[in-house]
Amino acid sequence: MNKSQKSEIVSTLTNEFKSSAAVIMCDYRGLAVSELEALRKIAREKDSKVQVVKNTLATIALNNAEMSGIEIKDTNIFVWGADAIAASKTAVDFAKANDKFVIRTAYIDGEAADEQKVRAFATLPGREELLGMLASVWMGPVRNFTIGLDALKRKKEEEAA
């Protein structure tokens, strides 16, 4: 890889990392190519991205994106996305299915995080689930009002009969 290709990768990753709510670093040593492709497919479904990056290039990109506090060593694959919960769920779900995939560290919502924080984010309900809960709460008073009106209508019909 020549210098211009490396600088292009660094600039692309810097832009991606800046616009991400979570960047999760994992060890993928021993995984087959088919397993990595399965991870990429899962990530695409959850609007996350996955890429194997050289440590030096990743370090430069993370520093350019003002994400410090993450120690990069050994073999690494990065999982990132605009939604911290979706990216965390992608990494944690894949780690549950594959023993060789190990979550090392992350950068979530502006600060360095360890594996436990990534796992905690993965247990939170996703955006769609939260919107569903909110809609249910908003519809509660309307639902109760219509039930009350229906009961009042039946009572009036029984009194008239």
Side-chain angles (χ1 to χ4, degrees):
M1 196 178 325
N2 62 33
K3 193 171 185 171
S4 64
Q5 290 171 325
K6 289 179 183 178
S7 65
E8 183 180 327
I9 289 171
V10 168
S11 66
T12 302
L13 286 175
T14 299
N15 292 335
E16 290 283 339
F17 291 166
K18 279 184 181 178
S19 65
S20 298
V23 176
I24 303 165
M25 185 178 67
C26 306
D27 183 4
Y28 69 99
R29 192 176 316 153
L31 287 177
V33 173
S34 60
E35 292 170 323
L36 289 175
E37 289 304 316
L39 172 61
R40 286 187 173 97
K41 181 181 178 194
I42 292 168
R44 261 184 260 121
E45 291 169 357
K46 295 184 180 180
D47 294 328
S48 299
K49 296 182 181 181
V50 175
Q51 186 171 347
V52 175
V53 184
K54 285 188 169 190
N55 292 346
T56 54
L57 301 180
T59 302
I60 294 168
L62 286 169
N63 288 335
N64 289 347
E66 299 174 5
M67 296 180 176
S68 59
I70 296 177
E71 183 181 344
I72 300 176
K73 59 183 179 180
D74 297 329
T75 57
N76 298 304
I77 189 165
F78 290 84
V79 179
W80 70 89
D83 182 6
I85 295 171
S88 296
K89 284 185 180 190
T90 300
V92 170
D93 290 348
F94 193 75
K96 285 179 186 174
N98 296 285
D99 294 337
K100 295 176 184 174
F101 187 80
V102 179
I103 299 169
R104 286 197 180 145
T105 187
Y107 199 82
I108 299 176
D109 288 335
E111 62 184 36
D114 58 356
E115 180 185 359
Q116 287 79 23
K117 188 168 185 178
V118 174
R119 291 188 183 281
F121 263 81
T123 62
L124 295 173
R127 184 177 189 276
E128 298 301 320
E129 294 170 81
L130 289 173
L131 288 174
M133 290 177 193
L134 182 62
S136 177
V137 168
W138 282 349
M139 294 303 293
V142 173
R143 186 173 35 248
N144 291 339
F145 181 71
T146 56
I147 290 170
L149 282 178
D150 188 48
L152 181 64
K153 175 186 162 195
R154 280 193 229 133
K155 182 179 176 186
K156 293 290 183 179
E157 288 174 350
E158 288 174 5
E159 288 175 358

